[in-house]
């Protein structure tokens, strides 16, 4: 139900192509997040126009509302939400640990209370696979245990063991044709990361994710863990770094051989008034944009940058118009898709290193970091 081919490599960076039930995905790719079956503020047609070929939706949220059986009866998630392209669903594990009131985790599963109505639920590996199959996901993720950062070694060790046990059960529960990815855990302990990668690759799954990173640890640590894990993953399977969203982190991980990314940054920051542009980040509410008739990013050809000034975008945010978050989200999603297509072209031409140093010489990660609340 899935083919993945590496078309070209440039040092460790990889250019790849997926064929999934709902379409083709070119890698390295960035997957916008559509948590509740919607990339917030954008229509599926607008998301597709940015060049996005696959999005991430959330098992935990869709299980609670509207319910996976209801989505299945509606013809699957792609049809239900009008997105006629591939969808990856996460396992729900991360939300269970971060959002729900977690009551108990045992080897059997994760028992939690809904953040909506307090009702009690048990996510077992088998149920999580069943939910994702009912949603009709192109790529399903194994239930994993993702401890917060920082975490002590005994907890990280237990999470690695449980994640392996659950991956085994997810693999046994899946229907033929379900594209199930394993998730490597191990926090920031190099030997646990290696142990987790070795144990999961024994299951011969069609793809592997690196979870439990980008949780606030220093970037050198993130990159070190990614390098160690990527070196142990089979070269013919896709690798997905979960939750990495800063352009500098994506570029660093592509350099280490990662193929897939997702993050709420472009959409969440877009809604709160922060744009990613070629030079770094812009806090659009900042009063210095009040009379700026220039484009948000003169180097960008998205609808927002072609049509509106910074002064107007700032005005929309200051008065609280719904169009402001929508236009900034559209630009941000567009910006990340342009970033990925730039990366793919550079790998194809064998010039990833020079492309990334040129990109990073313009892009200053810390540019205009604060000031969102200035002069509201
Ligand atoms: Zn733009």
């Amino acid at each position: 139900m899935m083919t993945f081919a590496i078309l070209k490599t440039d040092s460790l960076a990889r250019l790849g192509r997926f064929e999934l039930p709902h379409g083709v995905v070119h890698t390295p790719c960035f997957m916008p997040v559509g948590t509740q079956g919607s990339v917030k503020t954008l229509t599926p047609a607008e998301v597709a126009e940015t060049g996005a070929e696959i999005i991430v939706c959330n098992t935990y949220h869709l299980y609670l509302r509207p319910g996976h059986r209801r989505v299945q009866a509606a013809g699957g998630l792609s049809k239900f939400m009008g997105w006629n392209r591939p969808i990856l669903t996460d396992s729900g594990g991360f939300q269970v640990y971060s959002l729900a009131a977690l009551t108990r985790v045992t080897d059997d599963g994760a028992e939690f209370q809904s953040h909506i109505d307090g009702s009690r639920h048990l996510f077992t590996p088998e149920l999580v696979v069943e939910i994702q199959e009912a949603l009709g996901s192109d790529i399903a993720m194994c239930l994993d245990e993702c401890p917060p950062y920082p975490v002590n070694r005994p907890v990280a060790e237990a999470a690695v063991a449980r994640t392996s046990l659950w991956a085994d059960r997810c693999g046994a529960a899946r229907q033929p044709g379900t594209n199930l990815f394993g998730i490597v855990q191990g926090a920031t302990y190099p030997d646990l990361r290696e142990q987790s990668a070795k144990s999961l690759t024994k299951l011969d799954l069609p793809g592997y994710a690196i979870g439990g990173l980008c949780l606030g640890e220093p970037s050198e640590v993130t990159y070190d863990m990614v390098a160690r894990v990527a070196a142990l993953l089979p070269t013919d399977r896709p690798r997905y770094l979960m939750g990495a969203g800063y352009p500098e982190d994506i570029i660093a991980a592509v350099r280490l051989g990662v193929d897939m990314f997702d993050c709420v940054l472009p959409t969440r920051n877009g809604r709160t008034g922060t744009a990613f542009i070629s030079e770094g980040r812009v806090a659009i509410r900042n009063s210095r944009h009040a009379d700026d008739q220039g484009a948000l990013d003169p180097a960008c050809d998205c609808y927002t940058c072609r049509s509106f000034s910074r002064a107007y975008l700032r005005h929309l945010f200051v008065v609280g118009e719904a169009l402001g978050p929508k236009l900034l989200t559209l630009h941000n999603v567009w910006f990340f898709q342009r970033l990925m297509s730039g990366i793919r072209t550079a790998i194809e031409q064998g010039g990833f290193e020079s492309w990334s140093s040129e990109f990073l010489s313009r892009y200053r990660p810390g540019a205009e970091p604060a000031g969102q609340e200035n002069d509201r």
Side-chain angles (χ1 to χ4, degrees), residues 213-235:
L213 291 174
C214 310
L215 299 176
E217 74 280 2
S219 351
E220 314 85 73
V221 175
T222 315
Y223 305 159
D224 181 37
M225 296 301 131
V226 170
R228 287 165 188 276
V229 173
L232 294 171
L233 296 177
T235 53

Side-chain angles (χ1 to χ4, degrees), residues 46 48 53 67 131 162 212 238 267 325 330 373:
E46 288 164 337
E53 295 173 314
I131 296 169
R162 192 164 277 147
T267 40
L330 183 69
E373 306 308 317

Side-chain angles (χ1 to χ4, degrees), residues 296-297 300-305 331 334:
L296 178 59
D297 183 356
C300 177
D301 56 354
C302 83
Y303 172 70
T304 301
C305 294
H331 162 80
W334 190 279

Side-chain angles (χ1 to χ4, degrees), residues 231-288:
L232 294 171
L233 296 177
T235 53
D236 61 346
R237 311 289 157 90
R239 299 142 174 195
Y240 163 26
L241 178 57
M242 304 180 85
Y246 287 105
E248 61 274 25
D249 291 342
I250 291 175
I251 290 169
V254 165
R255 182 179 290 118
L256 298 170
V258 175
D259 309 301
M260 303 167 69
F261 301 90
D262 80 293
C263 192
V264 294
L265 268 182
T267 40
R268 180 183 291 163
N269 285 15
R271 292 198 305 283
T272 55
T274 300
F276 289 85
I277 68 161
S278 321
E279 282 83 38
R281 274 178 285 166
V282 169
I284 200 66
R285 287 179 197 272
N286 198 306
S287 57
R288 72 187 185 88

Side-chain angles (χ1 to χ4, degrees), residues 31 56-60 88-97 123 125 128-129 132 139-147 156-171 174 179-187 192-215 225-226 229-230 232-234 237-244 260 262:
M31 305 180 279
V56 174
C57 294
N58 190 262
T59 296
Y60 168 86
L88 179 149
T89 44
D90 64 11
S91 69
F94 185 77
Q95 280 70 29
V96 165
Y97 291 100
F123 266 0
V128 159
V129 169
Q132 295 178 84
I139 299 173
M141 303 299 295
C142 287
L143 184 64
D144 62 326
E145 183 170 344
C146 178
E157 265 173 19
V160 164
R162 192 164 277 147
T163 296
S164 286
L165 176 80
W166 285 355
D168 207 9
R169 283 169 54 189
C170 285
R174 77 185 137 156
N179 300 315
L180 180 71
F181 282 24
I183 305 176
V184 175
Q185 289 291 347
L192 294 184
R193 283 279 163 192
E194 285 163 15
Q195 183 192 321
S196 182
K198 283 180 183 160
S199 151
L200 287 170
T201 51
K202 282 189 192 137
L203 300 176
D204 194 28
L205 296 167
Y208 296 92
I210 307 171
L213 291 174
C214 310
L215 299 176
M225 296 301 131
V226 170
V229 173
L232 294 171
L233 296 177
R237 311 289 157 90
R239 299 142 174 195
Y240 163 26
L241 178 57
M242 304 180 85
M260 303 167 69
D262 80 293

Side-chain angles (χ1 to χ4, degrees), residues 6 17 38 88 177 262:
I6 296 291
R17 186 178 188 275
S38 157
L88 179 149
D262 80 293

